[in-house]
């Protein structure tokens, strides 16, 4: 860190740690968020169609996380249960998750298992499941960034997540989702979702904003352009 002319991290959390713990020079430490690791050629008009196709009388939540405990799978199930109990029919779809086998999952939980996105059929299934979801829910207990938040935004799907690690860089409140304190009860998540559904125009606006975040901030083209800008500036400073 002391020898480097430029240091790039994917999130504010890592940048702040480098400065606080290792004494890195703040002037040379930059943040460039990761992008979505899926092919996306969707236009705003196409995303509008995806948003409009989502039902307004029930909620589809999506959980993408293999490590069940660290990703907060139990919280995701509890949030879906709270929504159902409040009168909003809710389904929670699990992709690639490995929940505990000591007790059965509730009837409102659907488990798809691993989906191979390199296979055309798997990619179609993945895209359909994400596109049809109202929210990605990933209440992680620890997370360095979360590329899946970028992928959800590329479909105009907002995220529900925790305020830990690099997540607040990936998920901006009111722009591509909402973050909650790590100790927030499931009812707090459920109340936010209920407010979105009670004034569905608010949800539509948030979903549109999520895609805008993807287009302007959470894709590899933008990340590459920003990296080149910082590299050019560092090079100019070094040889100037």
């Amino acid at each position: 860190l002391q020898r480097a002319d430029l240091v790039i991290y994917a999130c504010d959390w890592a940048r702040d740690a480098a400065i606080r713990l290792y004494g890195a020079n703040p002037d040379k430490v930059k943040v460039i968020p990761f992008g979505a690791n899926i092919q996306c050629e969707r236009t705003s008009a196409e995303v509008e169609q995806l948003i409009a196709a989502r039902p307004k009388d029930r909620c589809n939540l999506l959980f993408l996380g293999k490590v069940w405990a660290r990703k907060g799978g139990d919280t995701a199930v509890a949030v879906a249960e709270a929504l159902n109990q409040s009168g909003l029919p809710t389904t929670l779809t699990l992709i690639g998750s490995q929940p505990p086998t000591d007790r059965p999952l509730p009837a409102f939980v659907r488990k798809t298992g691993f989906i191979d996105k390199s296979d055309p059929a798997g990619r179609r299934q993945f895209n359909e499941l994400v596109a049809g979801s109202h929210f990605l829910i990933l209440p992680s207990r620890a997370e360095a960034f979360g590329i899946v938040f970028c992928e959800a935004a590329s479909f105009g799907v907002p995220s529900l997540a925790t305020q830990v690690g690099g997540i607040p860089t990936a998920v901006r409140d009111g722009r591509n989702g909402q973050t909650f304190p790590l100790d927030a009860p499931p009812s707090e998540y459920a109340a936010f979702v209920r407010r979105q559904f009670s004034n569905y125009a608010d949800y539509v606006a948030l979903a549109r904003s999520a895609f805008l975040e993807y287009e302007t901030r959470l894709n590899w083209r933008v990340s590459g352009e920003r990296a080149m800008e910082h590299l050019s500036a560092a090079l100019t400073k070094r040889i100037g």
Side-chain angles (χ1 to χ4, degrees):
L1 286 173
Q2 302 306 320
R3 292 195 304 267
D5 293 301
L6 174 66
V7 182
I8 298 175
Y9 290 105
C11 65
D12 298 339
W13 168 69
R15 176 202 60 198
D16 295 345
I19 295 170
R20 183 180 69 256
L21 299 176
Y22 301 106
N25 181 352
D27 293 336
K28 66 180 183 182
V29 182
K30 310 298 180 182
V31 174
I32 302 177
F34 289 142
N37 283 345
I38 56 174
Q39 184 178 359
C40 175
E41 298 176 351
R42 285 175 287 280
T43 65
S44 296
E46 290 170 334
V47 171
E48 283 286 340
Q49 293 177 348
L50 297 180
I51 297 171
R54 294 167 196 161
K56 299 179 181 180
D57 58 348
R58 67 181 188 276
C59 179
N60 296 329
L61 298 179
L62 179 68
F63 179 85
L64 278 162
K66 183 178 180 181
V67 186
W68 183 259
R70 180 171 69 82
K71 300 287 186 177
D74 55 337
T75 300
V77 172
V79 171
E81 183 175 23
L83 285 168
N84 277 301
Q85 291 177 347
S86 72
L88 178 61
T90 300
T91 298
L92 174 65
T93 299
L94 313 178
I95 297 181
S97 303
Q98 298 177 340
T101 57
D102 56 344
R103 58 181 180 273
L105 292 169
F108 57 78
V109 178
R110 297 188 304 166
K111 182 180 176 183
T112 69
F114 174 74
I115 297 178
D116 184 2
K117 290 184 289 185
S118 66
D119 175 72
R123 186 162 57 250
R124 284 194 299 272
Q125 182 187 14
F126 178 86
N127 289 350
E128 290 173 359
L129 288 172
V130 179
S133 300
H134 291 90
F135 293 97
L136 167 71
I137 181 167
L138 200 67
S140 298
R141 294 179 171 89
E143 197 76 59
F145 182 79
I147 288 179
V148 67
F149 299 121
C150 310
E151 296 176 348
S154 76
F155 291 88
V157 174
S159 296
L160 306 173
T162 44
Q163 297 163 359
V164 300
I167 290 178
T169 299
V171 181
R172 292 181 171 179
D173 291 349
R175 296 190 182 183
N176 62 320
Q178 186 69 28
T179 59
F180 301 84
L182 185 58
D183 59 355
S187 59
E188 191 169 332
Y189 290 79
F192 174 81
V193 174
R194 288 285 306 194
R195 288 195 298 271
Q196 296 288 302
F197 270 79
S198 64
N199 188 354
Y200 201 74
D202 289 346
Y203 171 75
V204 172
L206 183 61
R208 289 171 176 164
S209 179
F211 182 65
L212 182 61
E213 282 286 289
Y214 165 76
E215 283 192 310
T216 59
R217 195 173 66 90
L218 300 176
N219 69 77
W220 287 115
R221 177 187 57 78
V222 171
S223 298
E225 290 173 354
R226 291 187 60 194
M228 285 301 298
E229 291 171 0
H230 289 311
L231 288 166
S232 297
L235 181 59
T236 299
K237 182 177 181 180
R238 185 176 181 86
I239 66 178

